[in-house]
Amino acid sequence: MSSKPSPTLLRRQLGAELRRLREAARKTAAEVATALNWSESKVSRIETANSSVRNPDLTKLFDLYKVSEVERNRLTALAAQSRQRAWWEAYGEALLGAYETYIGFESEASDIFIYDAVILNGLLQTVEYAGAIINSVSAGERPDVVNQRVSVRMARQAVLTRDPPPKIWAILDEAVLKRPVGGASVMKRQLMRLLEIADRSTVTLQMMPFDRGAHRGIDGAFSILEFTGETEQPLVYCDGMTGGVFRTRPEEVRRYLMAFESLRTAALSHAATLDYIQRAIREYE
């Protein structure tokens, strides 16, 4: 893992601590919202790391939960660290809120499980493929914003060479490998890039053939992130046209983990998948 945790991960740690304090004080999120004249969603966003917390609000929570001075100082320092800028924050309006949060989690994950139903996950894309995808879904956006989104997607891939790198297990629907995004030449280079990535000992690729019919991932793509820290629970991210959604409740995460295990059993092996990709490359020659 990196020596300096991302602000997103620190924000998640702070949120978990604040939830622990709330539960220790025997208060529900609704009761806290009423006591502080907040919305219940504000309490939830703070506890799930979807928004940072300002010091005045932090003090209100401390007072409500009757937090000790030592604990206040520790969590105030953690909050300050969590508000530091990460590299992706420089891209501002180019990033939707949930996606920006996801990048922070992804940069710290020890294991990344991916199911792609239509297009490749950003960690696996070439710049040409990414440009074709982002341009197709960003109609009406300023060219500089589109270019920034491509740049962010490429910068995310630094996680592949992090020390130590995360373990990545990606299951790709056959449609992902069949769809010639950007045209034949772009897709050929994308498939070649997949072979390069799959050559890493920390990466496993599997393809879900069309002939498997309906399966546990039929209703959409998702990513599962796991972390090495004992207090860091796994989470699920489902991307969408207007932003992504996080699933963090244990029962939700468990359902996605079971779905991924089912997909892993039904898909082609890593070796058979690489053979398939090599044949697909030859079709473009």
Side-chain angles (χ1 to χ4, degrees), residues 45-63:
R45 288 196 306 272
I46 290 172
E47 292 186 353
T48 58
N50 283 304
S51 66
S52 59
V53 56
R54 300 174 304 156
N55 281 350
D57 287 343
L58 200 57
T59 298
K60 291 177 183 178
L61 291 171
F62 290 159
D63 291 343

Side-chain angles (χ1 to χ4, degrees), residues 7-257:
T8 306
L9 195 64
L10 294 173
R11 200 158 61 228
R12 192 179 191 213
Q13 292 172 356
L14 177 63
E17 293 270 19
L18 292 173
R19 179 176 181 176
R20 176 182 61 79
L21 290 171
R22 173 174 61 77
E23 292 174 343
R26 300 183 182 279
K27 295 184 182 296
T28 66
E31 289 170 340
V32 172
T34 298
L36 299 181
N37 197 28
W38 293 354
S39 65
E40 190 173 344
S41 66
K42 177 174 179 177
V43 179
S44 176
R45 288 196 306 272
I46 290 172
E47 292 186 353
T48 58
N50 283 304
S51 66
S52 59
V53 56
R54 300 174 304 156
N55 281 350
D57 287 343
L58 200 57
T59 298
K60 291 177 183 178
L61 291 171
F62 290 159
D63 291 343
L64 185 62
Y65 301 155
K66 296 180 170 52
V67 178
S68 70
E69 193 66 27
V70 172
E71 193 82 337
R72 286 175 184 243
N73 292 338
R74 182 178 70 84
L75 293 179
T76 299
L78 180 59
Q81 289 179 293
S82 75
R83 289 193 293 268
Q84 294 177 0
R85 285 173 62 84
W87 64 262
W88 53 85
E89 294 181 61
Y91 291 91
E93 63 183 294
L95 304 179
L96 296 172
Y99 179 50
E100 181 176 344
T101 301
Y102 174 77
I103 293 173
F105 289 141
E106 182 183 69
S107 70
E108 297 287 340
S110 59
D111 296 84
I112 303 175
F113 302 96
I114 297 164
Y115 170 65
D116 288 333
V118 180
I119 61 173
L120 282 168
N121 184 279
L123 290 181
L124 309 175
Q125 295 178 7
T126 64
V127 66
E128 295 172 303
Y129 184 101
I133 292 293
I134 291 173
N135 274 287
S136 70
V137 300
S138 300
E141 294 278 12
R142 300 197 318 268
D144 63 309
V145 172
V146 174
N147 291 337
Q148 285 181 342
R149 287 177 179 161
V150 175
S151 296
V152 170
R153 188 159 298 182
M154 293 299 101
R156 275 175 56 198
Q157 296 181 10
V159 74
L160 297 172
T161 55
R162 195 188 65 200
D163 185 21
K167 294 179 181 177
I168 297 175
W169 198 305
I171 300 176
L172 315 174
D173 192 275
E174 188 170 357
V176 176
L177 301 177
K178 283 284 191 181
R179 188 180 304 278
V181 171
S185 60
V186 169
M187 195 62 194
K188 178 182 177 181
R189 287 189 287 274
Q190 175 61 78
L191 293 175
M192 293 173 66
R193 173 60 177 159
L194 274 182
L195 292 181
E196 292 176 8
I197 293 174
D199 195 45
R200 302 168 189 262
S201 62
T202 53
V203 176
T204 301
L205 293 185
Q206 288 186 267
M207 191 269 282
M208 178 66 74
F210 288 139
D211 64 17
R212 298 297 194 266
H215 53 72
R216 290 288 294 271
I218 199 71
D219 56 354
F222 60 89
S223 297
I224 306 170
L225 304 183
E226 293 186 345
F227 307 88
T228 55
E230 293 182 2
T231 61
E232 296 301 322
Q233 299 303 309
L235 59 84
V236 176
Y237 180 73
C238 304
D239 207 355
M241 187 176 295
T242 57
V245 176
F246 287 100
R247 307 293 183 191
T248 58
R249 293 204 298 265
E251 61 273 20
E252 293 178 324
V253 174
R254 190 180 310 112
R255 184 171 179 179
Y256 278 96
L257 286 168

